[in-house]
Amino acid sequence: MMHSVFRKAIAAYTGVTIACMAIMAGVWSWADGAEIWLIAGVGVLASLLAGILLMRRITRPLGRLRRSAQRLESGDLETPVHSDGSDEISQLADLLEAMRQNLRSTVARYEEAAGRLEAVLAGMSGGVLVVDENDTVIVANYEARRLLRLPPETTGRQLGGVVRSHELLSLMQWSREKQEQIDREIAIVGPDERVIEARVSPVHDASKTFRGSVAVLLDVTELKRLERIRTDFVANVSHELKSPLTSIRGFVETLRDGAYRNEQDARRFIGILEKETRRLENLVQDLLTLSEVEAGKAKLNVEPVNLNDLARQAAQDFRLIADDLKVRIGLDLGPGDLIVRADSHLLGQAIGNLVDNAVKYNRPGGTVTLSTRPANGKIILEVADTGMGIPLQDVPRIFERFYRVDKSHSRRLGGTGLGLSIAKHIVAAHGGTVTLQSELGKGSRFAISLPASA
């Protein structure tokens, strides 16, 4: 037998009504006049009261059910839907409770998946920018905001209102119109110009309907810089090797053709051959040293070293060269012993490279000053000169391999173009840094900073 609250309520209400009518019929037989109307009124009121009580019994659970449904609609998935009884209203409440639990489980899975996706996007080395079919930004991870210099609050805004790169906007539009993937390098101009490799693809749903676009952005600025350095390195090495080899070949051919019979010419040619051979040896040795230090393969014989002693030795080693160029080398050393833990040979080579550079790029009557001092747990060694100085645009590249500000002057003096790069990597291998301050026409100041020995 079906248990229906409505059927039970109707049956109960009908029973009460029939009972009232039976009582009224029984009383009707002996009552008359006003008493009949009084009895009739009492019967009607009793019937209405019974109906109200029965309707409240129905509407109360329905009200609770409506409030539970409203909570679900507003997103409250934590408050359970209660049921008491086994009628249809209770069964509907049970269904709502089951739906609440299913929704809660689904939302939890969605939030977990969204959290994982957000973590993946945040941890990606590339930028990800996603827009819908109306060009509204849906996703812009941290790297995309950094590369494109987007504001923190980007989601929900129009793409053209936040992205200032016309190249990227054109790629997004092109991919949207052609419904094709496109790969292209774009430049993000600004104080820190970046080169970005952008891949823009259309996004479709299961029915092949266009739903938006996704752009994956990779910062290739450093790769481009390294590629340029590699290309320059190969070109420079080829040039540096070609010049002395061409000279050697020319004089060898001259000697072979009979110049060796003239003793005076033969001696002069042999002297030039020796000079060019030594130039090749220096170049090869510098390349080997730079390769080992840069790759971290150089074996450091670390021991306590007095930086004042290395400064004195460097000044002594280059005094004859400085005298020939009419440059004076001076010392301004800190008091006592300034001890660092270092490989004295390699660190001495780094200091020597800086002094060599300061002497050769100086002017007749100029000075080179080596100074040392302690500073906040560091020991600073500076090599200052009164030479020609370095243009501001060349300062960031001065430590690159083979980079020369004045190429003709460098080659005339016989430099390999690797000295400053070697010095930088040797100091870095000791946990220190090399910095440069320069003013064109007034001179330069190189500073080596090393941890002081405890």
Side-chain angles (χ1 to χ4, degrees):
M1 181 177 180
M2 181 182 296
H3 295 283
S4 170
V5 65
F6 297 105
R7 292 178 60 185
K8 290 191 292 183
I10 292 173
Y13 182 72
T14 302
V16 170
T17 303
I18 293 173
C20 289
M21 291 177 65
I23 293 171
M24 290 172 60
V27 175
W28 199 281
S29 58
W30 56 267
D32 58 358
E35 294 178 347
I36 293 176
W37 290 105
L38 179 61
I39 295 171
V42 171
V44 170
L45 290 175
S47 177
L48 288 174
L49 181 60
I52 291 171
L53 293 175
L54 290 173
M55 288 304 296
R56 288 187 63 185
R57 182 180 178 186
I58 296 173
T59 56
R60 277 184 178 177
L62 284 176
R64 290 196 300 268
L65 200 61
R66 178 178 60 82
R67 289 190 294 272
S68 296
Q70 288 175 338
R71 285 195 297 269
L72 290 176
E73 182 185 18
S74 65
D76 180 8
L77 302 179
E78 301 300 323
T79 305
V81 180
H82 297 287
S83 65
D84 46 359
S86 58
D87 51 38
E88 277 80 356
I89 295 179
S90 298
Q91 293 173 6
L92 183 58
D94 291 339
L95 289 175
L96 275 179
E97 172 63 14
M99 183 176 69
R100 182 192 70 84
Q101 294 179 3
N102 289 336
L103 282 174
R104 185 181 178 188
S105 177
T106 301
V107 169
R109 290 196 300 270
Y110 170 79
E111 290 178 345
E112 182 181 359
R116 287 198 298 267
L117 177 61
E118 185 176 352
V120 170
L121 291 175
M124 288 181 64
S125 59
V128 178
L129 180 67
V130 183
V131 298
D132 63 13
E133 63 272 21
N134 298 316
D135 275 346
T136 301
V137 178
I138 300 175
V139 174
N141 69 346
Y142 172 80
E143 187 66 9
R145 296 195 302 272
R146 185 186 71 84
L147 293 177
L148 300 176
R149 303 185 178 96
L150 304 180
E153 298 300 329
T154 301
T155 305
R157 300 176 62 178
Q158 285 297 115
L159 181 66
V162 293
V163 173
R164 298 290 179 254
S165 171
H166 296 292
E167 288 184 278
L168 180 59
L169 292 174
S170 298
L171 291 183
M172 301 286 280
Q173 182 65 25
W174 189 94
S175 177
R176 179 191 185 98
E177 292 175 354
K178 301 294 184 180
Q179 291 294 292
E180 295 178 3
Q181 176 180 297
I182 181 171
D183 298 273
R184 186 171 298 172
E185 285 184 3
I186 63 176
I188 305 298
V189 297
D192 182 21
E193 184 171 338
R194 315 299 295 174
V195 180
I196 306 298
E197 187 177 285
R199 169 173 292 181
V200 182
S201 307
V203 178
H204 303 89
D205 60 16
S207 62
K208 306 299 182 182
T209 302
F210 176 74
R211 292 301 184 189
S213 303
V214 57
V216 179
L217 311 169
L218 296 177
D219 188 352
V220 295
T221 306
E222 184 65 15
L223 291 177
K224 290 296 179 182
R225 188 186 72 84
L226 293 176
E227 178 64 20
R228 175 179 55 79
I229 291 176
R230 185 191 67 82
T231 303
D232 292 346
F233 177 74
V234 173
N236 285 320
V237 168
S238 300
H239 182 81
E240 294 294 335
L241 291 174
K242 183 178 180 180
S243 296
L245 287 175
T246 300
S247 179
I248 290 172
R249 180 180 178 182
F251 285 108
V252 168
E253 289 177 351
T254 302
L255 289 170
R256 183 191 62 191
D257 292 340
Y260 67 90
R261 295 187 181 94
N262 186 323
E263 184 177 352
Q264 184 177 358
D265 287 342
R267 288 181 179 277
R268 182 167 62 87
F269 292 161
I270 290 173
I272 295 174
L273 289 174
E274 183 181 8
K275 177 182 176 182
E276 294 296 340
T277 302
R278 190 177 300 111
R279 179 179 170 187
L280 283 175
E281 287 178 347
N282 291 338
L283 176 60
V284 172
Q285 184 59 49
D286 281 352
L287 286 172
L288 290 174
T289 301
L290 180 60
S291 176
E292 290 178 353
V293 176
E294 194 173 25
K297 296 180 180 179
K299 295 181 179 179
L300 301 181
N301 183 22
V302 178
E303 58 185 355
V305 176
N306 187 350
L307 210 55
N308 284 343
D309 290 343
L310 292 184
R312 294 189 189 97
Q313 186 62 48
Q316 182 64 33
D317 291 342
F318 287 91
R319 199 170 298 281
L320 290 178
I321 298 176
D323 290 342
D324 289 341
L325 296 175
K326 296 181 174 56
V327 174
R328 185 177 64 86
I329 298 181
L331 293 171
D332 182 16
L333 305 181
D337 294 335
L338 301 179
I339 306 298
V340 298
R341 291 191 57 79
D343 184 308
S344 60
H345 171 71
L346 284 178
L347 188 56
Q349 182 181 354
I351 297 171
N353 287 351
L354 297 183
V355 176
D356 182 49
N357 190 75
V359 170
K360 290 180 178 178
Y361 286 91
N362 218 309
R363 64 189 71 193
T367 61
V368 174
T369 304
L370 283 78
S371 60
T372 59
R373 69 178 188 277
N376 299 322
K378 305 280 186 179
I379 295 181
I380 311 297
L381 183 146
E382 291 185 344
V383 179
D385 65 69
T386 59
M388 61 185 67
I390 300 170
L392 183 62
Q393 66 271 18
D394 292 311
V395 170
R397 300 189 60 188
I398 200 66
F399 291 103
E400 291 182 11
R401 294 169 291 187
F402 293 111
Y403 189 81
R404 294 182 173 95
V405 176
D406 185 347
K407 296 179 175 58
S408 61
H409 186 74
S410 299
R411 293 194 174 98
R412 186 173 66 253
L413 294 173
T416 64
L418 296 173
L420 293 180
S421 183
I422 290 174
K424 175 185 176 182
H425 285 91
I426 288 176
V427 173
H430 287 83
T433 59
V434 183
T435 57
L436 166 64
Q437 293 178 332
S438 185
E439 186 174 353
L440 193 61
K442 292 188 177 181
S444 303
R445 181 182 297 270
F446 289 85
I448 294 177
S449 175
L450 293 167
S453 179

